[in-house]
Amino acid sequence: MKDRTWIELSKKAIAENLKSFRSLLSPKTLIAAIIKSNAYGHGLLETAELSRKGGADLFGVNSLEEALILRAKYPDFPILIMGEIPDLLERRKEVSDPNFWIIVSRTESVQILSECKPSPKIHLKVDTGMARLGYSGKDLERTLTEIRDLGLPLHGIATHFASTEDVLEQKYSKEQMKNFSEAIQLAESLGFKDLVKHSCASASTMLFPEAHYDLVRVGISLYGLWPSLQTRLSLHLSGKKDFQLSPVMSWKARIVHLKTVPEDSFVGYGSTYQTSAETKVAVVPVGYYEGLDRKLSNNGVMLVRGKRAKILGRICMNMTMLDVTHIHDVQIGDVVTILGKDKEEEIGADDHANWTYTINYEVTTRISESVPKIIQE
Ligand SMILES: *Cc1c(COP(=O)(O)O)cnc(C)c1O
């Protein structure tokens, strides 16, 4: 292993996570593997290949740029593009792909896409309570009527839940489901038939079978992470106790320097840590550039030889210091586990999230694209 730091991806874990989701769905429901934002830090192309092999039916991304990277490798695999595409008019050539499923919010976008040759599949976004993309109420009615009056085609209709992950009772999501089903009725009453309907991300797929419709969009849980503790509890309480997820990513590095410093030594920028005894310090070549949150300064652990080692002082741009005094026979070149398992110990993205007051989504997504990925068969 020549890399200073790297990510190992478990092919088996992705396949198992997809299988877990498949077990919740009716056979007709498609699964879009959401691999936007460098697959939440897991590597776009690596994760695409693993999720396709693991049985995903579509890739889901945010931007046209991501879709084009995937398209170069997969000439006709369906790709769902979920974010707005700026300057759509100038990008007609690039979006002219019959296996792009593009979610749009406005009549003008439907018109542009429908004139492409070949035309991508057009999905209309409905705002049911997120106040992000799509319209609701009168604006939605006007949009659907315009699309009908212009004789434009729609292939699908979609919405997104705002707060499924944050709560144990799902009043707000139930309201959104009702709004979505009203939007579907409106579209059907205007003559739009056989629409591909979709609303669920990971948490809602687990908790709302009635909202699965034709397609679910699974992101965070594809990577073996729970959308939230509340989601995990809710699923457990609903009786689905067998549903399991396996983390896909292990993030590792190697010790590049090792030394013993005396009692009362300061460690790192700002001298924010002072040793209270003679201390063996290991230097790990990972810092905030690589995506390790600086809030882990004096506030986190990594694993060395199956033992927990505390982070000493501030996280630097490309390095971090660890206390390895208590770990027997540490050597330069030893593997350090930043995320993942080492013998009996494990550190998860949820641990980093708790230590830094954020969510697991942000922890993995912030890992730099520059960290190489190794696929474990
Ligand atoms: C990112 C995203 C998802 C996936 O959400 P997870 O909670 O990661 O499963 C689904 N739908 C839309 C519109 C998204 O932007």
Side-chain angles (χ1 to χ4, degrees):
M1 174 56 57
K2 62 187 182 342
D3 296 306
R4 289 172 297 123
T5 182
W6 67 94
I7 281 170
E8 294 170 5
L9 299 170
S10 164
K11 177 179 178 181
K12 186 157 159 261
I14 288 207
E16 281 174 3
N17 297 333
L18 281 165
K19 220 166 114 201
S20 292
F21 271 92
R22 196 62 83 185
S23 76
L24 298 176
L25 303 175
S26 98
K28 290 195 311 278
T29 304
L30 303 174
I31 299 181
I34 304 303
I35 53 176
K36 63 190 178 191
S37 306
N38 195 34
Y40 297 33
H42 293 68
L44 177 65
L45 285 172
E46 292 86 353
T47 310
E49 185 62 14
L50 295 182
S51 44
R52 194 183 61 87
K53 284 192 179 142
D57 302 294
L58 292 90
F59 298 139
V61 294
N62 175 58
S63 67
L64 178 58
E65 289 73 16
E66 293 166 324
L68 293 171
I69 293 170
L70 291 168
R71 185 49 84 228
K73 186 162 166 207
Y74 302 97
D76 30 54
F77 200 75
I79 302 174
L80 180 70
I81 304 175
M82 303 184 296
E84 279 287 322
I85 301 173
D87 305 318
L88 193 54
L89 197 59
E90 284 103 81
R91 308 200 71 179
R92 273 170 299 183
K93 242 189 135 102
E94 292 161 288
V95 295
S96 297
D97 183 320
N99 294 309
F100 278 172
W101 298 21
I102 303 184
I103 305 182
V104 296
S105 297
R106 299 180 297 280
T107 310
E108 185 199 4
S109 313
V110 177
Q111 180 134 35
I112 296 168
L113 292 180
S114 69
E115 286 163 3
C116 290
K117 288 195 175 48
S119 168
K121 308 282 189 292
I122 306 168
H123 289 222
L124 187 71
K125 186 69 171 269
V126 178
D127 176 15
T128 57
M130 174 86 177
R132 194 170 66 176
L133 298 177
Y135 286 129
S136 59
K138 286 271 167 284
D139 292 330
L140 175 67
E141 221 176 300
R142 176 182 45 77
T143 305
L144 275 166
T145 309
E146 283 168 0
I147 297 169
R148 194 263 323 257
D149 291 349
L150 290 165
L152 305 175
L154 281 184
H155 179 256
I157 186 162
T159 194
H160 189 54
F161 292 104
S163 69
T164 309
E165 296 83 2
D166 299 76
V167 287
L168 284 169
E169 53 71 39
Q170 297 292 352
K171 220 169 105 216
Y172 197 80
S173 296
K174 295 266 157 62
E175 197 64 33
Q176 287 196 264
M177 279 183 239
K178 189 166 144 275
N179 294 342
F180 190 46
S181 105
E182 284 169 10
I184 292 168
Q185 276 171 25
L186 174 64
E188 286 174 347
S189 75
L190 288 167
F192 295 101
K193 295 266 161 358
D194 301 320
L195 290 173
V196 177
K197 308 170 193 76
H198 49 113
S199 62
C200 288
S202 298
S204 35
T205 303
M206 292 180 201
L207 301 179
F208 313 141
E210 67 274 34
H212 288 171
Y213 293 106
D214 305 303
L215 164 72
V216 295
R217 309 182 301 255
V218 180
I220 193 75
S221 299
L222 176 69
Y223 310 104
L225 303 176
W226 287 85
S228 68
L229 191 56
Q230 289 88 329
T231 303
R232 193 169 188 168
L233 276 168
S234 299
L235 192 69
H236 198 79
L237 292 171
S238 78
K240 298 237 165 53
K241 298 192 167 82
D242 301 335
F243 187 91
Q244 285 204 350
L245 293 171
S246 325
V248 169
M249 170 192 290
S250 305
W251 185 10
K252 300 192 174 167
R254 295 190 318 149
I255 293 175
V256 290
H257 189 53
L258 202 56
K259 70 183 146 199
T260 300
V261 297
E263 183 181 346
D264 293 336
S265 301
F266 290 105
V267 180
Y269 286 123
S271 306
T272 61
Y273 184 85
Q274 188 171 25
T275 58
S276 54
E278 188 178 82
T279 300
K280 204 191 299 172
V281 176
V283 181
V284 185
V286 173
Y288 56 84
Y289 169 70
E290 283 76 20
L292 194 67
D293 197 303
R294 196 164 166 277
K295 289 193 287 300
L296 291 167
S297 300
N298 288 310
N299 175 37
V301 297
M302 296 184 185
L303 305 177
V304 179
R305 294 190 175 240
K307 295 215 159 53
R308 297 166 84 83
K310 280 191 183 159
I311 293 172
L312 300 184
R314 289 198 183 140
I315 308 270
C316 312
M317 194 179 285
N318 307 109
M319 285 180 257
T320 297
M321 282 73 90
L322 297 181
D323 182 353
V324 293
T325 313
H326 57 298
I327 304 172
H328 183 64
D329 199 27
V330 179
Q331 309 278 339
I332 289 175
D334 276 0
V335 171
V336 178
T337 301
I338 301 157
L339 288 176
K341 273 194 191 142
D342 185 0
K343 302 209 175 83
E344 302 300 301
E345 290 288 353
E346 180 167 8
I347 294 170
D350 287 296
D351 293 314
H352 278 216
N354 290 335
W355 295 332
T356 62
Y357 306 100
T358 183
I359 52 176
N360 51 17
Y361 291 74
E362 189 182 358
V363 169
T364 63
T365 304
R366 276 186 181 274
I367 299 174
S368 168
E369 280 185 42
S370 66
V371 178
K373 315 294 182 299
I374 295 163
I375 293 167
Q376 292 180 311
E377 293 294 328

